[in-house]
Amino acid sequence: MTSTYPIVEARGKLGELARRAAQHEHITLTDRGVPAAVLISPAELEDLEDALALARLELKRARGESETPIPWDQVRQTLLDAAGQSEGAPRR
């Protein structure tokens, strides 16, 4: 569901509108009749950001622009080195 409110009206209802957005309702805020912002739930924003990142990755791969993957052993060693551990050192 989508609802639209002028910013002037939304000011007095911000708490209510935020709770509705948290329940996955899209709330559009307008400034002089022009859409200015949309309130959405944090979970929905995270899903949108993940989908955008995936689409960008797929586009890079399709264009042949993707980077060469780093082998897991190299990543692991880099992380261990950054944490001050080495292969032979006991883990904390």
Side-chain angles (χ1 to χ4, degrees):
M1 179 178 201
T2 301
S3 300
T4 302
Y5 293 89
I7 291 174
V8 173
E9 183 182 340
R11 283 184 185 139
K13 299 180 177 185
L14 188 55
E16 172 197 343
L17 297 177
R19 285 187 286 280
R20 287 169 52 188
Q23 297 300 315
H24 301 283
E25 181 177 344
H26 296 179
I27 309 291
T28 301
L29 305 179
T30 60
D31 187 11
R32 297 183 181 105
V34 178
V38 177
L39 299 176
I40 61 172
S41 72
E44 194 166 359
L45 176 60
E46 185 177 338
D47 289 346
L48 290 169
E49 289 173 336
D50 289 348
L52 180 58
L54 182 58
R56 285 178 174 158
L57 176 63
E58 290 176 357
L59 180 60
K60 281 185 172 186
R61 285 183 179 161
R63 291 178 175 170
E65 299 171 358
S66 62
E67 298 177 11
T68 304
I70 302 171
W72 168 244
D73 291 342
Q74 183 179 345
V75 172
R76 183 175 184 279
Q77 189 59 50
T78 301
L79 291 172
L80 288 171
D81 291 345
Q85 299 178 355
S86 65
E87 284 291 334
R91 292 186 178 203
R92 295 180 213 168

